[in-house]
């Protein structure tokens, strides 16, 4: 005599237990099969204890994605905004470092460009507002992250 595990009656019982909100362990005890058998049958039938059959897995619409600007792209924009002509050699403008500060005074969002000799008493850091995501202000970032020029053959 062949003993079939999932009869039409047991499947109907399974659907009733899911609709009643029973856990897989409780459903297994009521039907008389293992918990793993219940989980497997729920999966094969496309049922879920959390939602009715055929319901979407997402209850809310997907979020709109905003384009991300990588730090490298942001830096290139910063450097290129200062670029003049392709054939013209650009001379960096002097940077006003009115916010000079010592190592103990410097904050995370301030420019960390060193000014002067580290062994001298008047040594300080720039202290201007740093470009978001970088350690330097706009002027010092242009100096620190220069785009290599092509060599002429």
């Amino acid at each position: 005599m062949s003993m079939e595990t999932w009869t039409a009656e047991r499947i109907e019982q399974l659907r009733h237990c899911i609709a009643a909100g029973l856990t897989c362990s409780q459903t297994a005890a009521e039907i008389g099969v293992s918990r793993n058998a219940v989980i497997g049958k729920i999966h094969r039938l496309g049922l879920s204890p959390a939602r009715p059959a055929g319901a979407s897995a997402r209850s809310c619409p997907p979020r709109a994605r905003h384009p991300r600007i990588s730090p490298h792209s942001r830096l290139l924009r910063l450097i290129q905004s200062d670029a003049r002509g392709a054939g013209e050699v650009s001379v960096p403008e002097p940077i006003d470092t009115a916010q000079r500060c010592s190592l103990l005074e410097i904050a995370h969002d301030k420019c960390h460009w060193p000014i002067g000799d580290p062994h001298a008493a008047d040594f300080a850091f720039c202290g201007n507002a740093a470009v978001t995501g970088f350690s330097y202000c706009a002027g010092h970032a242009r100096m620190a992250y220069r785009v290599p020029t092509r060599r002429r053959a």
Side-chain angles (χ1 to χ4, degrees), residues 43-96:
H43 177 72
R44 286 188 299 276
L45 292 175
L47 303 174
S48 172
R51 63 182 189 269
S56 172
R58 290 183 78 84
S59 61
C60 59
R63 295 185 317 195
R65 294 188 183 245
H66 300 287
R68 292 186 120 182
I69 300 173
S70 70
H72 180 72
S73 299
R74 197 169 10 147
L75 184 61
L76 285 176
R77 286 183 185 176
L78 177 69
I79 292 169
Q80 290 169 353
S81 70
D82 191 42
R84 295 184 180 134
E88 193 176 320
V89 176
S90 63
V91 177
E93 294 179 21
I95 300 162
D96 180 29

